[in-house]
Amino acid sequence: MALKLIYLVMTRIFAWARLAVQDSTAKNIEMLILRHELAVAQRRDPLLARKLTWADRAWLALLARLLPSGQLPKIRLIVTPSTLLHWHRNLLRRRWAHRSRRQPKPWGGPGAA
């Protein structure tokens, strides 16, 4: 029992030391990620609490990309960092696919419908 207490105290001390040297922007982004994960976990509908919506995935992917490169593996997430990067790639793919669609010219020139 005493060994477990010592272990817990030491892990908290090292976590606080890591936070002390961390950039304030990275801290704020990490807090936003964790707060959103908590909000997902506290949803009243049990089916929604276990499943991330498209908006949840987009928000977490956006925030994960704002973190410095070495920070993402260090924080505890409800999804793996590779999943977040996959979501971000999908968001970018959808954005550029939408932008690359041919739009008809409003003045009725060549290519207008």
Side-chain angles (χ1 to χ4, degrees):
M1 184 67 144
L3 187 60
K4 184 176 180 179
L5 178 64
I6 292 171
Y7 171 76
L8 290 174
V9 168
M10 291 305 293
T11 55
R12 291 294 174 201
I13 289 172
F14 287 127
W16 288 333
R18 182 176 61 94
L19 284 174
V21 298
Q22 196 176 22
D23 182 27
S24 66
T25 305
K27 284 182 203 178
N28 291 337
I29 294 170
E30 185 177 342
M31 282 189 281
L32 284 173
I33 290 172
L34 295 174
R35 283 182 182 176
H36 188 73
E37 288 179 347
L38 183 62
V40 168
Q42 290 179 340
R43 288 182 180 155
R44 290 187 184 250
D45 187 5
L47 294 176
L48 286 177
R50 287 184 289 165
K51 189 162 71 169
L52 293 172
T53 63
W54 183 88
D56 295 329
R57 292 192 301 266
W59 182 245
L60 290 173
L62 172 74
L63 289 174
R65 293 302 291 177
L66 295 176
L67 281 174
S69 61
Q71 286 297 115
L72 190 58
K74 292 179 183 177
I75 62 175
R76 294 180 182 158
L77 300 170
I78 55 176
V79 294
T80 63
S82 61
T83 303
L84 283 172
L85 294 175
H86 176 73
W87 291 344
H88 187 262
R89 283 191 301 270
N90 283 344
L91 287 171
L92 288 177
R93 187 179 311 124
R94 287 180 186 173
R95 177 176 183 244
W96 287 109
H98 177 72
R99 281 189 162 204
S100 67
R101 286 188 206 151
R102 183 170 253 193
Q103 305 269 333
K105 304 249 188 298
W107 44 272

